[in-house]
Amino acid sequence: MRLAFMGSPDFAVPALRALHGAGHEIAAVYCQPPRPAGRGQRETPCPVHRAALELGLPVRTPARLKRDAAEHAAFAALGLDAAVVAAYGLILPKAMLDAPRRGCLNIHASLLPRWRGAAPIHAAILAGDAESGVTIMRMEEGLDTGPMLLKEATPIGPDTTVQELHDRLAAIGARLILRALAEDPPAIPQPEQGVTYAPKLTKEDGRLDWTQDAAALERRVRALNPWPGTFFTHGGEQIRVLAAHPESGSGAPGTVLDDAGLIACGSGALRLARLQRPGRAPQPADAFLRGYALPRGSVLG
């Protein structure tokens, strides 16, 4: 089948490799343009871009699509059977959605209609969902509103991290898109009930609000590391929290309850397990606290 692949981050790479390995003709790979990264701020291609070059596939990196008639025409001229989209990062205009013979198929990392939007993997852990999954959807102009072709669920355990769930869903998506292309299953409209949205995350979403209950804060730590990262402020520094566990305990929210990193929350307490100062390496809490004091009774921001 003649395809275009449209994706940018690590999540999309297994699907690109699976499609190439299955023998599909990938006429073009679309991804976000290279951007400055690292200490030297060197222009760096995204993971899909790097994978496409490794596979010898042609890459296009338009900065925008909405009003670019020349890009629309170039896309239509590819003569595609379908386009596969996975976390691309740009909204496809109607002219491009309608160009492939079988439309544009999206690998979405949630069980639609739950968690439409930009950050469905993080949102599922934050909300304490018992499961997540992948939906293969035929795209339309609305935000993740198109009819569904295939779904597969996977459990979210009490210790599941966003990286673990991300990798599992990426593998499921790669497997499901091959099935969707081979089987051409009937499209099922999404139900109108149960719609939720997962907005794009910002750095400030990682700030730990100690008035929340300890279980919610522990989920936030699992959901938002490595990015945007969870943190509190103390002594003028932002201290990253990379792992934590809820425990019993009480006190004014944000109060340090003992000498081993137990912090009072709105309900219960959070035991800090792995921490990192700016510019330093991550450390287990016991090692961190030997070199950085969180005195009992102090209050964290």
Side-chain angles (χ1 to χ4, degrees), residues 89-238:
L90 291 179
I91 295 174
L92 302 189
K94 188 174 186 340
M96 295 181 75
L97 292 172
D98 292 345
R101 181 176 61 83
R102 285 176 53 179
C104 297
L105 307 185
N106 181 240
I107 305 171
H108 187 74
S110 82
L111 298 173
L112 291 170
R114 187 154 178 80
W115 304 128
R116 295 175 180 173
I121 305 176
H122 307 79
I125 295 177
L126 283 170
D129 289 358
E131 64 177 5
S132 181
V134 171
T135 304
I136 305 298
M137 169 191 67
R138 181 169 292 125
M139 297 174 70
E140 56 184 30
E141 290 185 272
L143 177 63
D144 299 329
T145 58
M148 304 176 295
L149 304 179
L150 291 171
K151 275 187 180 184
E152 184 176 325
T154 188
I156 300 175
D159 300 317
T160 300
T161 65
V162 72
Q163 190 64 56
E164 177 190 344
L165 184 58
H166 167 282
D167 293 351
R168 209 187 312 158
L169 294 177
I172 292 171
R175 184 168 66 250
L176 280 192
I177 193 62
L178 294 181
R179 279 188 54 203
L181 292 171
E183 299 171 12
D184 195 15
I188 301 172
Q190 292 187 40
E192 297 181 3
Q193 296 77 30
V195 174
T196 54
Y197 289 91
K200 186 176 181 178
L201 295 167
T202 68
K203 175 68 175 176
E204 193 59 24
D205 289 312
R207 183 181 296 276
L208 295 175
D209 177 0
W210 301 109
T211 65
Q212 294 184 355
D213 68 76
L217 289 175
E218 187 272 340
R219 291 196 301 271
R220 185 163 292 271
V221 172
R222 285 191 286 119
L224 301 188
N225 281 297
W227 193 90
T230 47
F231 65 93
F232 62 85
T233 56
H234 181 260
E237 287 188 86
Q238 282 192 0

